[in-house]
Amino acid sequence: MEYTDGIAKSDRYELWFNTRLGQKYQDQLTGKQCYQFRCSMLQEEPMLRLRLSSERVVFVIPGSGSCVGPTMRANRVIYLDLHTFCGDMTHAVQGWLKAVKWTEPFETHMARIVRVHPRGIQGAIELVPMLA
């Protein structure tokens, strides 16, 4: 979103993660590992993470009674508390948005992807603000 070509690339994701979350997850999770997990969950076959990394990323579900803290590493597995990680990622994205909002090429890309409909979408749900 912040590069003129608008193309998602692994090195850009890794840099973003390492810049925004790297210090918090230092020695636990790298931008490369997070990108590999993202790809395996969203678009690539599940075995991708096994081919690309010697470690596996797993999320511990809140309220499971686990003794895992926000992060833990053991036996080539990186354990992340789901609630903590999602909160950290949300906070990082909010900080990034503050930095890139009203800049180019972010605004141009954003206009192509998402549009605010303050009165809803005619023929769908009307009078309810939404993004689409």
Side-chain angles (χ1 to χ4, degrees):
M1 295 289 288
E2 61 185 295
Y3 293 92
T4 54
D5 62 10
I7 298 172
K9 296 181 180 179
S10 61
D11 59 331
R12 292 175 180 173
Y13 185 94
E14 292 172 31
L15 177 63
W16 183 91
F17 182 92
N18 291 335
T19 301
R20 302 260 170 208
L21 289 165
Q23 190 169 4
K24 178 155 182 132
Y25 287 91
Q26 187 175 13
D27 299 326
Q28 296 296 322
L29 183 68
T30 67
K32 182 175 183 174
Q33 290 166 320
C34 192
Y35 180 77
Q36 290 169 350
F37 180 79
R38 170 210 172 271
C39 289
S40 70
M41 291 298 291
L42 298 177
Q43 61 197 35
E44 305 289 338
E45 74 263 14
M47 295 306 288
L48 177 69
R49 71 175 145 241
L50 298 176
R51 287 199 319 261
L52 294 176
S53 176
S54 61
E55 294 184 293
R56 183 173 183 184
V57 176
V58 299
F59 290 99
V60 177
I61 296 171
S64 64
S66 170
C67 61
V68 173
T71 62
M72 188 177 97
R73 185 182 230 141
N75 300 322
R76 294 184 13 220
V77 177
I78 301 167
Y79 298 91
L80 301 170
D81 177 78
L82 181 63
H83 181 72
T84 301
F85 183 81
C86 288
D88 292 341
M89 185 62 79
T90 300
H91 183 65
V93 169
Q94 289 170 338
W96 171 77
L97 281 173
K98 285 180 184 176
V100 298
K101 192 171 183 176
W102 312 119
T103 66
E104 285 299 330
F106 175 82
E107 287 298 321
T108 298
H109 293 310
M110 194 65 170
R112 291 181 190 147
I113 295 171
V114 178
R115 210 170 105 217
V116 176
H117 300 271
R119 293 193 169 93
I121 298 174
Q122 188 175 7
I125 300 175
E126 297 181 29
L127 304 176
V128 177
M130 58 183 69
L131 296 172

